[in-house]
Amino acid sequence: MDAQQVTVSQTAPNFSSAQELRDWAEDGATTSRMELSQTLSHPALTGMSRPDFQALIDRITVPYQAALEQRRHRQRGGDRRPGTRGGVFRQKITDADRILATVLSQRDLCDQQALATLFGVSRGTIRNAIEDVRPLLEQDAYVPTLAERRFATAAEVLASVTEDSETPC
């Protein structure tokens, strides 16, 4: 990344309205997307404590962004041209959510369609996230523990999480 003079910035939260941004900036209020990520990173779903999951995200994020930039560089056939934007389309889910979706998939918690419904994206977005993140998790020596129960729908996944239960499945 240094050779290509690429800097990696932290993925910012997505806000769907100006009011959500103001509330977050003034009061630290969370958005529905932030709350969903918090719910889905519950230890009962990820199979690890929240600090362990955050540490996994911290270890994987930079290599993930580097791999994406390397692929884009190869697809472009060279460096970005001066004055061009870093990408035309805004990402539908954050890098952390892509890692979360991959962890949930590897635990065999539900199918990719249920994950797509949970994150509000297409099944292809989930499939691409899994294909991009899985090799990095393997390099990190992450070994998923299979979930005790497989859920058929997104609603079942959300219903399974209770706030007072902080123990992994």
Side-chain angles (χ1 to χ4, degrees):
M1 291 180 58
D2 291 335
Q4 299 299 324
Q5 297 179 341
V6 173
T7 58
V8 176
S9 60
Q10 193 70 318
T11 303
N14 293 331
F15 301 100
S16 58
S17 69
Q19 187 59 47
E20 274 188 357
L21 176 59
R22 279 191 291 273
D23 291 345
W24 179 77
E26 293 170 4
D27 306 323
T30 59
T31 65
S32 58
R33 176 68 101 188
M34 291 174 184
E35 290 170 5
L36 176 66
S37 294
Q38 184 70 14
T39 300
L40 293 177
S41 65
H42 191 284
L45 300 179
T46 62
M48 62 184 86
S49 70
R50 289 188 194 274
D52 288 345
F53 181 67
Q54 186 59 50
L56 177 69
I57 288 174
D58 293 343
R59 287 192 311 270
I60 298 296
T61 298
V62 171
Y64 172 68
Q65 290 177 343
L68 286 179
E69 183 56 34
Q70 182 179 28
R71 183 176 66 206
R72 290 177 185 144
H73 184 270
R74 190 174 51 250
Q75 289 170 338
R76 276 192 308 268
D79 295 337
R80 287 185 185 149
R81 293 190 179 109
T84 60
R85 296 190 301 178
V88 176
F89 301 106
R90 184 175 68 90
Q91 294 298 312
K92 294 178 179 111
I93 59 176
T94 65
D95 295 339
D97 284 344
R98 289 171 187 274
I99 295 167
L100 175 59
T102 305
V103 166
L104 297 178
S105 173
Q106 287 194 318
R107 291 200 69 221
D108 205 22
L109 195 70
C110 57
D111 63 12
Q112 289 182 10
Q113 184 57 54
L115 286 173
T117 302
L118 283 167
F119 287 98
V121 296
S122 71
R123 191 168 162 250
T125 298
I126 296 296
R127 183 190 65 245
N128 291 340
I130 292 168
E131 287 175 2
D132 289 341
V133 174
R134 185 180 39 228
L136 298 171
L137 290 175
E138 290 169 359
Q139 285 177 356
D140 191 63
Y142 168 73
V143 178
T145 57
L146 292 179
E148 291 180 5
R149 179 176 171 208
R150 183 171 168 88
F151 300 99
T153 66
E156 288 178 9
V157 173
L158 291 174
S160 73
V161 179
T162 59
E163 286 307 312
D164 56 354
S165 167
E166 282 290 321
T167 57
C169 291

